[in-house]
Amino acid sequence: MNNKIEKLAYDWITSESDKVDIMSNYYCETRDIFQARLEKMKIALSKNEKLSKNRFLLSAIIGEIGNNSFDHNLGNWPNVMGIFFGYEMLDNKCVIILADRGLGILKTLQRVKPELNNHKDALSIAFTKTISSRYPERRGNGLKFVKNSIEDKKMNLVFKSGNAEININKIFKIKDAAKNLNGCLAIIKF
Amino acid sequence: MRIELKKFGNMLISRPAGREAFLVMRSSLIKEVGKNELIEINFDGVEVLTPSWADEVITKLAEKFKNVKLLNTENESVQATLKTLREYSGLKI
């Protein structure tokens, strides 16, 4: 499968704010646009015999990640509001990408853990600890749900924020990312 | 009484939608229901469920009422979401 969709996502998240392609069909300015396109993806998955069986759980994973972007950046978007959401299906393979130009995991978690000072620790906490940037509201379960579901279904997830990235592919790994990214980028393959 | 979640849609995903759903339930569906009454939450027809939506609805219902039963939870995303809530949100049903 080619990396066209990944390049589009990288271009979208790294462009200068006045050069972001907001006319793209992959751009979801608001939650309701995202939900409509997610519904469309679920329908597309249902037409592929192999991919169809995972379409509900996959839609939940994508829905959780995408809505988290809106939750954590509401009223605080640094520049371009909304998310990039794209997917490609070829034969029995699928790649789905979500990206936001938001605050990123570290800044959101620093609201409740001011002592956090690096992206790797922030990502580790987000995926493995019960913590919410909007404490005392009970939140912060979304990425645990994502992690557990990806592992259960033997899918692959790369999640990047700042200069750190998570890779879940049978086992959970966290490392420095090659490039620094403002916001978050998630790539799911199966 | 029985709450049919499919009446809120078949993709129950965002936290704001969950919050709105619970406000509707509180103001109409469960307004007159005593805390000891049996509450059945029926997931039939729900295709996609996330922890964000469910935390605003299922967890709150479970806190408000003592006798809550879940029906038709076979869907994979429902199963995964309930597992997450039990592990991280203190859901006990």
Side-chain angles (χ1 to χ4, degrees):
Chain A
M1 188 176 295
N2 66 55
N3 290 321
K4 175 184 173 185
I5 199 80
E6 291 186 39
K7 184 176 188 303
L8 285 172
Y10 272 102
D11 287 349
W12 187 85
I13 197 174
T14 56
S15 296
E16 294 296 322
S17 59
D18 59 348
K19 292 183 169 57
V20 173
D21 183 5
I22 60 174
M23 298 303 293
S24 168
N25 284 333
Y26 300 118
Y27 173 54
C28 305
E29 184 178 14
T30 59
R31 238 186 256 267
D32 55 342
I33 296 171
F34 170 62
Q35 176 133 352
R37 291 193 179 148
L38 183 58
E39 177 85 41
K40 184 177 177 183
M41 183 195 80
K42 176 164 68 74
I43 293 168
L45 287 170
S46 74
K47 297 175 180 177
N48 182 299
E49 187 172 349
K50 181 174 181 292
L51 301 178
S52 178
K53 65 184 178 181
N54 288 319
R55 70 190 186 279
F56 297 142
L57 185 57
L58 189 65
S59 297
I61 293 166
I62 300 304
E64 188 66 35
I65 296 175
N67 274 286
N68 273 356
S69 290
F70 288 101
D71 287 342
H72 290 294
N73 293 291
L74 182 67
N76 285 286
W77 293 99
N79 46 75
V80 178
M81 186 173 78
I83 68 174
F84 176 103
F85 167 49
Y87 54 92
E88 286 181 334
M89 299 173 197
L90 184 62
D91 299 326
N92 293 323
K93 300 287 187 181
C94 182
V95 58
I96 302 164
I97 301 185
L98 294 147
D100 73 58
R101 298 171 59 96
L103 298 170
I105 300 290
L106 177 59
K107 281 188 179 176
T108 55
L109 289 185
Q110 280 176 335
R111 295 169 181 163
V112 67
K113 269 186 167 292
E115 70 274 19
L116 266 178
N117 62 10
N118 67 82
H119 296 281
K120 282 176 73 175
D121 286 349
L123 273 183
S124 177
I125 288 170
F127 276 88
T128 63
K129 309 292 187 193
T130 300
I131 186 172
S132 172
S133 63
R134 289 176 59 157
Y135 179 86
E137 294 182 69
R138 182 181 41 231
R139 297 183 172 220
N141 300 329
L143 292 179
K144 268 70 69 181
F145 166 83
V146 168
K147 174 178 178 288
N148 291 341
S149 299
I150 293 282
E151 289 172 345
D152 286 348
K153 287 297 179 179
K154 299 181 172 56
M155 300 176 181
N156 174 254
L157 168 70
V158 174
F159 190 102
K160 306 187 186 198
S161 182
N163 63 4
E165 70 177 60
I166 293 277
N167 193 313
I168 302 175
N169 187 13
K170 296 180 182 176
I171 60 174
F172 178 81
K173 293 179 181 175
I174 182 166
K175 61 180 182 177
D176 293 321
K179 299 177 183 177
N180 188 76
L181 289 177
N182 293 322
C184 301
L185 186 144
I187 305 170
I188 294 153
K189 297 180 178 178
F190 71 103
Chain B
M1 73 162 298
R2 182 174 295 190
I3 297 173
E4 304 284 349
L5 292 187
K6 68 185 176 186
K7 293 185 176 182
F8 296 92
N10 66 8
M11 290 184 71
L12 305 175
I13 291 176
S14 74
R15 193 171 288 277
R19 197 173 308 121
E20 180 75 5
F22 186 73
L23 288 173
V24 168
M25 292 179 190
R26 197 173 64 181
S27 71
S28 57
L29 298 178
I30 58 176
K31 187 176 182 182
E32 306 293 338
V33 178
K35 67 179 182 179
N36 293 307
E37 187 171 329
L38 171 65
I39 301 292
E40 293 176 322
I41 304 173
N42 188 9
F43 291 86
D44 180 51
V46 172
E47 293 189 341
V48 182
L49 180 70
T50 70
S52 288
W53 195 95
D55 235 346
E56 296 292 340
V57 177
I58 312 305
T59 306
K60 289 179 176 176
L61 287 170
E63 288 175 348
K64 192 174 177 66
F65 298 99
K66 294 183 175 180
N67 191 8
V68 178
K69 187 176 179 184
L70 308 180
L71 307 175
N72 297 310
T73 60
E74 297 83 6
N75 173 280
E76 271 192 331
S77 70
V78 171
Q79 292 266 324
T81 290
L82 293 175
K83 179 183 175 186
T84 298
L85 296 190
R86 289 174 182 132
E87 186 170 354
Y88 297 106
S89 286
L91 185 70
K92 296 223 174 2
I93 53 176

